[in-house]
Amino acid sequence: MQYSRRFFVTALGAAPFASIGQPISASATPSLGALSQRMGKAWLCMANPELASPARDVLAASQSTFEQQLVQLSRSPAGPEHAGSLRALARRYEDYQGLLAGTPGEGQRAMLSTANEMLTLSQLANTAHATQPWQVRLAARQRLLSQRVALLGLANPAVESVRRERQTAVFEFEAGLQTLRNAGAPALQQQLALADAAWTPLKDGIASGRPAPVFVASERLLAVMDALTAHCVRMNA
């Protein structure tokens, strides 16, 4: 995928972006943070011949959705501080794309460091979640963590700092599922059972150290968490 200056200028609010269609609902699609982690995961998997083609498709789809969300947010910032956060995110995204255009497997440390920055900047830039019901916010956070865990399971897994970050993300994901279970909403139980069933293969894949199970399971879990987030939105409508 080729990137022109047009996107980055547009993301800063300086020009129209004619290809953008209907507004993207933050609850209906992965957040900027989730997409930033999914990009890194897909890039790492492109080094595997078995996964190169689907991973390339996932990377391209994640980039497209991320760009659409960023441009739409930039069109109506909540204030000067929010506008500044969006500009910082757009600039860092340009750096991130430069790394992701390189050969998968090389520069993993730089990619992971940039992915971490992208996550922080994305959370600052995405203010819509603050006004949503807690179940929606938590389900969306689980969606993000599904990709964060996969990325950390693939990037330098033997490095102690990465291992600690991954374990923290695993604990947070499992605690989030438990919190949703304890909410006592019968309508959520079927969705949560699907989430449990999708989560186990991802944990097993990370433990095995094999990219293919991690990639496949994390994509499945992302789809389940999309459905769970949408369910929480409907519950609170």
Side-chain angles (χ1 to χ4, degrees):
M1 178 178 289
Q2 298 296 316
Y3 301 94
S4 69
R5 292 291 300 175
R6 185 183 180 196
F7 165 69
F8 299 106
V9 171
T10 302
L12 298 178
F17 195 68
S19 64
I20 299 299
Q22 295 298 316
I24 298 174
S25 167
S27 61
T29 60
S31 66
L32 292 169
L35 291 165
S36 72
Q37 306 305 289
R38 191 181 185 220
M39 289 178 212
K41 175 197 76 175
W43 181 74
L44 290 170
C45 288
M46 284 168 56
N48 185 305
E50 179 184 359
L51 299 173
S53 179
R56 191 176 298 111
D57 291 343
V58 165
L59 177 58
S62 299
Q63 289 166 326
S64 177
T65 305
F66 184 97
E67 292 166 11
Q68 290 182 51
Q69 288 195 31
L70 182 56
V71 170
Q72 289 176 3
L73 286 170
S74 299
R75 284 174 169 170
S76 54
E81 185 176 351
H82 185 218
S85 296
L86 290 166
R87 286 193 295 270
L89 178 59
R91 292 184 181 118
R92 202 66 182 112
Y93 177 68
E94 187 170 8
D95 297 334
Y96 196 34
Q97 295 315 287
L99 289 170
L100 297 181
T103 303
E106 295 181 3
Q108 280 196 31
R109 181 177 298 180
M111 184 280 294
L112 187 57
S113 175
T114 306
N116 291 346
E117 292 181 52
M118 288 288 295
L119 180 57
T120 299
L121 290 170
S122 295
Q123 290 171 327
L124 291 173
N126 200 343
T127 60
H129 291 294
T131 60
Q132 294 171 338
W134 73 266
Q135 294 99 330
V136 177
R137 295 197 308 272
L138 181 53
R141 177 68 179 173
Q142 296 293 98
R143 182 168 55 187
L144 183 159
L145 288 169
S146 74
Q147 303 308 293
R148 177 73 174 160
V149 169
L151 172 60
L152 293 170
L154 293 165
N156 298 319
V159 175
E160 179 61 21
S161 60
V162 176
R163 188 195 66 79
R164 288 197 302 267
E165 286 185 74
R166 181 178 69 247
Q167 197 59 47
T168 297
V170 167
F171 287 153
E172 185 179 349
F173 185 88
E174 292 181 335
L177 286 183
Q178 189 60 47
T179 299
L180 288 169
R181 287 191 205 95
N182 293 342
L188 280 181
Q189 299 312 309
Q190 182 178 3
Q191 296 291 334
L192 288 168
L194 293 174
D196 285 332
W199 170 237
T200 299
L202 177 54
K203 285 186 67 178
D204 292 345
I206 290 171
S208 75
R210 296 169 55 219
V214 173
F215 179 81
V216 172
S218 65
E219 286 297 297
R220 171 58 182 159
L221 183 58
L222 178 62
V224 172
M225 297 316 302
D226 272 340
L228 178 61
T229 304
H231 195 83
C232 289
V233 170
R234 290 192 296 271
M235 281 176 50
N236 290 276

